[in-house]
Amino acid sequence: MTAFARRLSRRIDARDDTGSALALALVFLMLFGIYVGVVLSFAQTSLRSTAAVRDEGATTYAAGGAVDGAINAVRTDLTAGVDPGTTPIPATSCFSLPAGQLGNTAPVTVTCRPRSGSGAGATGSLRSQPAQAVLSTASDVDEGITMSAGADVRVTGSVLARQKLTVPVGATLTSTTSIAARTCAVLGTATPAPQCGATIPSDPAADPAAFPATWAGPTTYPTPVGTLPACATPVVRLSAGTYQSRAALQAVLNCPNTVIWLRPGQYYFDFTDAGTHELIFDTASSVVVGGTESGWTPNITAAASVPRPTAASPQASACDRSAAGVELVFGGDSRMSVRSGSVQLCALEPSTTATKQHVVVRGLSSTTTVPGSTTGAVTGSTDTGAASSRKWLNPQNATVVDGSYAYVKMPNKNDPPSILRMPVSSPVVPAGATVTSVRADVTEALEGTGNMTVRLTPGNGGAPTATLMLRDCPVATPCTNTGQQTDSVTHTGFTTAAQVNGMSLELILDNPNNSPVEAWVDGVTVTVSFTAPMRAVSGSSAAAPYVVGSAATTPLLAASGAWSSTSQLALRGTVYAPTAVVDLAQTGVPHVVVDRGVVARHVALRMTPAGGYTGPLISVPPTVQSPRRVLFTATDASGTVLLSSEVVFADSSGGANGAIPSVQTWAVR
């Protein structure tokens, strides 16, 4: 072995493990540090997640608690969560949970939205009838529900006076449910015992805003009615619309031995003529029927043979409860008094419909301006052109579209215009209306080259309007008579009823070219669009407090006298006059007088039943509502949805509205 090899061998043999532990320690520390960092990172993430989950849990818990509170609030109020009949159905706030109540850092609000048909009525419901059979909405402490000595009134349903109930000695008031008032002066008999001074419950009938679509009055102005029919037998027909002349309508009501038939629709009485504005029904030989006829035939059945309620047939009716009827709407100081004769009215909404209030007599509680329109034909057409103009043949044929024509031919342009003038006796626009447009529809045919224009002259003697082009036949494209067509022009220059009522219309045929033009006019109609106020009940009908027999305070609806085979009042619907008075004083009655409740500011009950009759004089149908179905939505202060739940509220049978909630869905967002 060489010396170099020996030295190298000694150097290799001299190596040992010195320093390796340090390296291992360093590696361990490095790996441990990484592990600890990872563990700490997971721990930090876990802590953050725990905090977030805890906050989310608190929010969800608070949202659930808020929805529980809303369900409990809706549960016992059977009017809450009922479909109001509007489209779309609005969501309303029904519960609020303040911040910090259930660990929540922000307030939680719950809204309730009824599902379509929620709480709909099978027979009657709060959307189609009052909650009470008799309800006084009076605010005057001396008004409410008053009876006269000797009166005996039986009611199917409850009786409620928001102020005073007066039952004097000798009077009897009987309800199948309850009698309540803020104050009571009961010296006679009231059964069951009145609840006096008790908290007055909420009632949609007293607050139509609770069910705006079902209690709302007319939204369009009923078509004004002009000339009324003369007396005739066996029937005189009246049409729905606006009546402003009490004298003209009273003359019809005075027709003897006649069926005065108010055909289905809405009748608005706002009398503006001189004298009293009280409609009086006092013709014993006549029958007033409002609505679809039942059990009699118009033009054939005599008044004496028309069905009417009697002791033997208390349900008999000359109007069909299941078909469209009438709604008598009173505004201003207009009112009605039934003294004799048979008056039978069925509500505009038929009894088979339970989604709207079935009002048969309404006193408007507020003045509203609504749109309206009326359409009528021209009358008395005459040729009024210049002496040298071409004359219209058969100008009277231009009044009605019936296939008969007025005709004129202009051979050349040297002829002056041919003018066909037509007075407009209808339509009639009510006083106080603001006219928005007048449209003339002319059914005609033109041939050749020329044009036809329209000009209106106002009824108040003002200057004629500018002529408007109805149809133009230029030389380049002459008209060819291929049959009649209807062309229209709209005048916007008229603004008042005085300008429209009594106006006249002129059709002007002109030939500016040197070629013939011919015109055939079959008929003209005129449509007037306007807005007009429907006035609230006023005058003595709105005066308070009501005093029986005082001319200063008169009822909107009064019924008096002794019942007989030819004298009765039967209203198949609700009497709704929350700012007026209803005074029912007919005696010896063997049937229901009002079968869907009375809502009035003051109600005077002075009726008596016929001997042997044990039924009610005023009633409401039994209220049977389907279960309510309500969507509850909980949101935070920013409007973020936290939770939603759909709940059904039913009775113990599960088939009707009640206070037992059943959660259908529960979704946390």
Side-chain angles (χ1 to χ4, degrees):
M1 178 180 296
T2 63
F4 174 75
R6 285 193 297 271
R7 287 196 303 271
L8 179 60
S9 176
R10 286 196 299 269
R11 186 172 294 175
I12 293 174
D13 293 341
R15 288 186 311 173
D16 55 21
D17 294 333
T18 305
S20 62
L22 178 60
L24 290 172
L26 291 174
V27 171
F28 175 78
L29 288 174
M30 180 182 67
L31 293 175
F32 183 75
I34 293 173
Y35 173 76
V36 170
V38 171
V39 171
L40 290 175
S41 176
F42 276 118
Q44 185 179 16
T45 301
S46 178
L47 289 172
R48 287 198 300 266
S49 298
T50 299
V53 170
R54 184 175 63 246
D55 291 343
E56 184 176 349
T59 300
T60 301
Y61 180 68
V67 171
D68 282 340
I71 292 172
N72 192 56
V74 172
R75 179 177 63 85
T76 55
D77 183 356
L78 300 186
T79 66
V82 174
D83 178 1
T86 58
T87 302
I89 299 174
T92 58
S93 178
C94 54
F95 192 83
S96 181
L97 181 70
Q101 293 297 303
L102 294 176
N104 52 312
T105 58
V108 178
T109 300
V110 181
T111 59
C112 301
R113 187 191 300 274
R115 293 304 197 185
S116 178
S118 174
T123 304
S125 76
L126 295 182
R127 295 196 304 150
S128 65
Q129 68 183 49
Q132 285 81 31
V134 182
L135 170 66
S136 162
T137 62
S139 57
D140 190 303
V141 295
D142 292 321
E143 289 191 324
I145 298 173
T146 61
M147 301 187 71
S148 60
D152 183 1
V153 179
R154 302 163 196 170
V155 176
T156 295
S158 58
V159 176
L160 173 62
R162 294 192 175 278
Q163 291 298 334
K164 190 174 183 179
L165 170 67
T166 303
V167 183
V169 174
T172 301
L173 176 62
T174 306
S175 165
T176 59
T177 308
S178 64
I179 301 173
R182 192 175 301 279
T183 61
C184 295
V186 179
L187 300 177
T189 302
T191 307
Q195 304 170 36
C196 302
T199 301
I200 303 299
S202 175
D203 182 355
D207 181 15
F211 293 88
T214 64
W215 279 104
T219 56
T220 58
Y221 200 90
T223 302
V225 176
T227 303
L228 300 186
C231 289
T233 56
V235 64
V236 173
R237 291 174 169 84
L238 294 177
S239 298
T242 296
Y243 291 76
Q244 291 192 303
S245 172
R246 182 265 180 189
L249 184 54
Q250 187 65 58
V252 176
L253 296 180
N254 291 342
C255 292
N257 302 307
T258 301
V259 180
I260 301 163
W261 184 23
L262 282 65
R263 288 179 287 186
Q266 208 162 48
Y267 291 74
Y268 175 43
F269 305 123
D270 187 4
F271 303 128
T272 56
D273 53 347
T276 179
H277 290 163
E278 181 180 33
L279 278 180
I280 299 175
F281 298 77
D282 197 17
T283 305
S285 61
S286 294
V287 180
V288 177
V289 179
T292 303
E293 71 277 14
S294 176
W296 62 283
T297 304
N299 289 335
I300 295 178
T301 306
S305 300
V306 170
R308 63 196 72 197
T310 64
S313 302
Q315 297 298 319
S317 176
C319 53
D320 188 349
R321 296 179 178 88
S322 64
V326 297
E327 181 178 352
L328 307 190
V329 182
F330 291 85
D333 62 349
S334 304
R335 56 197 188 276
M336 65 181 287
S337 176
V338 179
R339 302 176 185 176
S340 183
S342 177
V343 179
Q344 303 179 60
L345 308 175
C346 289
L348 183 61
E349 291 290 330
S351 59
T352 54
T353 302
T355 58
K356 291 184 179 180
Q357 297 294 339
H358 300 234
V359 177
V360 67
V361 175
R362 179 191 297 270
L364 291 176
S365 56
S366 61
T367 297
T368 57
T369 298
V370 295
S373 66
T374 179
T375 301
V378 298
T379 60
S381 301
T382 57
D383 182 346
T384 61
S388 59
S389 67
R390 300 289 175 170
K391 303 301 179 182
W392 288 82
L393 300 178
N394 300 315
Q396 71 279 359
N397 290 345
T399 59
V400 180
V401 179
D402 58 1
S404 300
Y405 294 89
Y407 170 77
V408 69
K409 179 177 180 179
M410 298 179 64
N412 56 63
K413 67 179 181 180
N414 294 324
D415 293 318
S418 293
I419 302 176
L420 192 59
R421 184 178 178 85
M422 292 167 277
V424 183
S425 61
S426 64
V428 176
V429 174
T434 299
V435 178
T436 55
S437 68
V438 179
R439 190 186 78 235
D441 298 312
V442 182
T443 301
E444 43 75 19
L446 293 182
E447 183 170 280
T449 62
N451 59 63
M452 184 179 289
T453 55
V454 177
R455 181 169 59 203
L456 294 175
T457 299
N460 63 355
T465 63
T467 57
L468 297 180
M469 182 64 68
L470 180 75
R471 192 173 177 197
D472 190 19
C473 304
V475 174
T477 55
C479 294
T480 301
N481 182 6
T482 58
Q484 69 181 32
Q485 66 183 58
T486 300
D487 296 303
S488 303
V489 295
T490 299
H491 290 258
T492 57
F494 291 178
T495 58
T496 67
Q499 291 174 316
V500 171
N501 297 334
M503 67 182 172
S504 60
L505 177 148
E506 292 175 324
L507 292 179
I508 305 169
L509 183 70
D510 197 9
N511 183 0
N513 310 305
N514 198 20
S515 57
V517 62
E518 297 176 83
W520 296 261
V521 177
D522 188 7
V524 179
T525 59
V526 178
T527 301
V528 181
S529 298
F530 58 88
T531 59
M534 297 192 72
R535 299 192 299 164
V537 172
S538 63
S540 59
S541 298
Y546 175 62
V547 178
V548 175
S550 170
T553 58
T554 57
L556 178 108
L557 167 64
S560 59
W563 185 95
S564 70
S565 60
T566 59
S567 179
Q568 66 271 139
L569 172 65
L571 302 179
R572 312 305 184 188
T574 301
V575 176
Y576 183 66
T579 62
V581 175
V582 171
D583 189 335
L584 302 176
Q586 199 170 58
T587 59
V589 182
H591 58 81
V592 176
V593 175
V594 184
D595 74 355
R596 217 173 181 95
V598 175
V599 179
R601 189 192 84 227
H602 180 81
V603 183
L605 299 177
R606 302 189 288 142
M607 296 183 289
T608 61
Y613 176 66
T614 59
L617 296 179
I618 301 174
S619 67
V620 288
T623 300
V624 181
Q625 289 176 270
S626 61
R628 292 169 291 154
R629 182 178 288 268
V630 184
L631 176 65
F632 296 89
T633 304
T635 59
D636 61 15
S638 66
T640 301
V641 176
L642 306 175
L643 187 151
S644 63
S645 177
E646 187 162 321
V647 181
V648 171
F649 299 88
D651 63 359
S652 57
S653 70
N657 183 26
I660 303 174
S662 174
V663 177
Q664 306 297 301
T665 63
W666 187 278
V668 178
R669 303 299 173 89

